[in-house]
Amino acid sequence: MPGHTPGQRALLVGGAAAALLASTLFAQNASAAEDAATHGIVAPPDKIVIEIATVNGSGCRQGTAAVAVSPDNTAFTVTYSDYLAQVGLGAKPTDFRKNCQLNLIVHVPHGFTYAVASADYRGYARLQAGATAVQKASYYFQGSPDTASRTHPHTGPYDNNWQATDETDWGQLVWAPCGVKRNFNINTELRVSAGTSDPTKTNSFITMDSTDGDIKTIYRLAWKECPA
């Protein structure tokens, strides 16, 4: 991939069967103070654990994605090392679209529920004049009809880092059902189109990874107490 040494692409995860990808961590409520002041909600004081049940997709093949939980229980980070979509010279016909479906098991402290309030994505893109690219993300709980989706387009000519943020208003958050264990799904996608550029002479790509290191996509959690 552009801008990376083989060492930077080192194996990050042993695969879905390797199970636990996040250490058990205890909350520190300092980072939740601002949210608490706004909504009267503080992150749960007990530990949370996030495991990957399955990782599927051409953008996160086995060993190229990892998850870690922040010390204050208000965010988790997904790290990718080989997530690239491209068209043109050197690209296979199927390379124009890459995706990654993360199926997460979130062990939530008793009496609390959570939702993803925002997500930060960044990467690098080099698009020829006339070419376009799209980054998309969808979020939903297993068995729930509610899906939140966000799309961020990019147009060429472009040759730089990119960053996108998905944010959801508090009143529109999709909460995990209280008292029921439901896996949380995050489906991301990168797509490139040659458009009016000449794919026989040029190459256009977008990567969820940047030239200065592996991408660390951050998902920020909102918390609230379940009804008694």
Side-chain angles (χ1 to χ4, degrees), residues 71-115:
D72 62 2
N73 286 353
T74 62
F76 63 94
T77 299
V78 181
T79 302
Y80 300 101
S81 64
D82 190 17
Y83 200 162
L84 169 76
Q86 61 177 330
V87 293
L89 292 175
K92 299 176 183 177
T94 56
D95 285 345
F96 78 98
R97 178 184 179 273
K98 294 296 176 69
N99 80 298
C100 182
Q101 170 102 10
L102 295 174
N103 185 275
L104 304 176
I105 303 171
V106 182
H107 300 272
V108 180
H110 179 71
F112 282 85
T113 185
Y114 73 97

Side-chain angles (χ1 to χ4, degrees), residues 9 62 71 74 117 169 188 197 225:
R9 302 174 190 168
Q62 182 173 333
T74 62
D169 292 336
T188 58
S197 68
E225 294 187 54

Side-chain angles (χ1 to χ4, degrees), residues 20 47-51 105-110 114 181 223:
L20 200 58
K47 62 189 177 182
I48 64 169
V49 177
I50 295 179
E51 301 174 59
I105 303 171
V106 182
H107 300 272
V108 180
H110 179 71
Y114 73 97
K181 288 187 177 181
W223 294 92

